[in-house]
Amino acid sequence: MKASELPPAIVRGVSQVDFQVDYRTALCFIVALFVGGWQFGVFGLLGAAVATLTAVVLGVSSDRVTGGLEGFNGTLIGVALVLYFDVRWVTVLLVIIGAIMGSVLTSALVALLGPYNLPTFTAPFCAVTTIMVVGAPAFERIWRGRSMAAPPSAAYPGRELTFTDLWQGLFNGVGQVFFQSKWYVGLIFLIGLAFAGRLVALSALLASAVGIVVAIVLGAPAADIGAGLYGYNAVLTGIALTGTFVVLSRLGVLYAVAGAVAATVLTAFVTDFFKPVGGHTLTWPFVIVTWIFLAAVPAFSGLRRSPT
């Protein structure tokens, strides 16, 4: 791999969180992170760079590296850890260690899932971040008396759903893929997806809407709906199943909607499952649901996997 190919590979490691390689999408995503907070941009790029460099040093296929497939888990690890542990020297160390662990785990999952034609998705990020967050209270220099992060509904229990919750939640569902809860940051991410293709942006927006509808029907807290917490796993699932990994068709669209519904429902389960140990939902619902839905495709004559 040439040295000149490394910076674009790191940048694509940001956009590949949403399965995109367009450099305009990547630049929009980076801008969105910095708008959300300089620390998210800096630590996200740090994670992407360390994960990508680790893959290069270990000799991972250049196609995966240049396509950004070795960097996106590092991106999310960087953003998540600075959110949970703040801007400190120990957080820098944790991001570096976490990105290296994520890179190794990515290669392990590529080897394990390859025979089944299943991508790793964000499973390495989920595993590494869960381990670090759950284990953090045991280490004083990391935890420093911090309290467990609480959802918005903890501060506003029983609040009625408003129109503001609906339209902001629509954009926040896109932004929360990167832990961003400001609606205008989600809008920037959506603009980035539009550069990759109108179908991609539309899939993300509609999947976010599906997540909101399902959450409302099931009675999720209004504050959490407005924050996009019930939308982002649906967004990733919707993008993945609408033309990205499954050939686009009418039945395929319905399949993607079903996946978005399943990811939203599973979000509540995963949230409650990890709550006793201080873990977080992350993108586990997306990973689990999309693995299952993709593994099932060969059994359905009306669906086909997209060529990879």
Side-chain angles (χ1 to χ4, degrees):
M1 180 179 178
K2 299 178 181 177
S4 60
E5 295 176 324
L6 189 57
I10 294 172
V11 170
R12 289 193 188 100
V14 180
S15 60
Q16 277 285 8
V17 171
D18 283 354
F19 324 112
Q20 308 306 316
V21 295
D22 191 296
Y23 75 93
R24 296 168 299 178
T25 301
L27 291 177
C28 271
F29 281 17
I30 293 170
V31 168
L33 286 174
F34 276 99
V35 171
W38 67 266
Q39 68 274 24
F40 298 122
V42 170
F43 279 78
L45 286 172
L46 173 63
V50 172
T52 302
L53 286 170
T54 301
V56 172
V57 171
L58 294 178
V60 174
S61 166
S62 61
D63 290 342
R64 286 190 56 84
V65 175
T66 56
L69 293 173
E70 294 296 321
F72 69 92
N73 279 290
T75 299
L76 288 177
I77 289 170
V79 174
L81 295 186
V82 75
L83 173 66
Y84 296 138
F85 302 134
D86 295 329
V87 180
R88 294 183 289 144
W89 67 265
V90 72
T91 307
V92 175
L93 181 61
L94 287 175
V95 171
I96 293 172
I97 294 173
I100 294 172
M101 291 171 57
S103 181
V104 174
L105 184 54
T106 295
S107 293
L109 287 177
V110 167
L112 289 172
L113 298 174
Y116 304 99
N117 194 25
L118 292 176
T120 65
F121 293 134
T122 52
F125 146 69
C126 289
V128 169
T129 304
T130 297
I131 289 170
M132 288 192 165
V133 172
V134 172
F139 303 101
E140 177 58 28
R141 285 196 175 91
I142 298 175
W143 196 244
R144 292 177 62 179
R146 297 176 63 84
S147 58
M148 299 292 183
S153 57
Y156 305 99
R159 181 168 68 77
E160 292 294 324
L161 187 71
T162 66
F163 178 70
T164 300
D165 291 321
L166 295 178
W167 73 263
Q168 290 191 1
L170 193 64
F171 296 117
N172 285 335
V174 180
Q176 282 286 6
V177 172
F178 288 84
F179 301 92
Q180 303 304 305
S181 58
K182 301 181 179 73
W183 70 267
Y184 51 86
V185 176
L187 178 59
I188 298 172
F189 279 116
L190 191 63
I191 292 171
L193 289 174
F195 280 119
R198 286 179 293 179
L199 176 63
V200 178
L202 184 61
S203 299
L205 200 61
L206 291 180
S208 183
V210 168
I212 290 174
V213 171
V214 172
I216 292 173
V217 169
L218 297 180
D224 294 347
I225 293 173
L229 298 183
Y230 283 92
Y232 70 96
N233 277 291
V235 167
L236 285 173
T237 304
I239 296 174
L241 298 179
T242 309
T244 302
F245 296 101
V246 178
V247 173
L248 184 64
S249 66
R250 291 181 180 178
L251 182 59
V253 171
L254 293 176
Y255 197 62
V257 171
V261 171
T264 305
V265 174
L266 192 60
T267 293
F269 167 80
V270 174
T271 299
D272 286 345
F273 179 80
F274 281 123
K275 188 181 297 183
V277 294
H280 294 274
T281 311
L282 306 179
T283 54
W284 282 117
F286 148 68
V287 171
I288 295 170
V289 168
T290 310
W291 272 347
I292 292 172
F293 272 58
L294 289 185
V297 167
F300 304 133
S301 61
L303 299 172
R304 289 187 296 116
R305 285 288 305 271
S306 299
T308 55

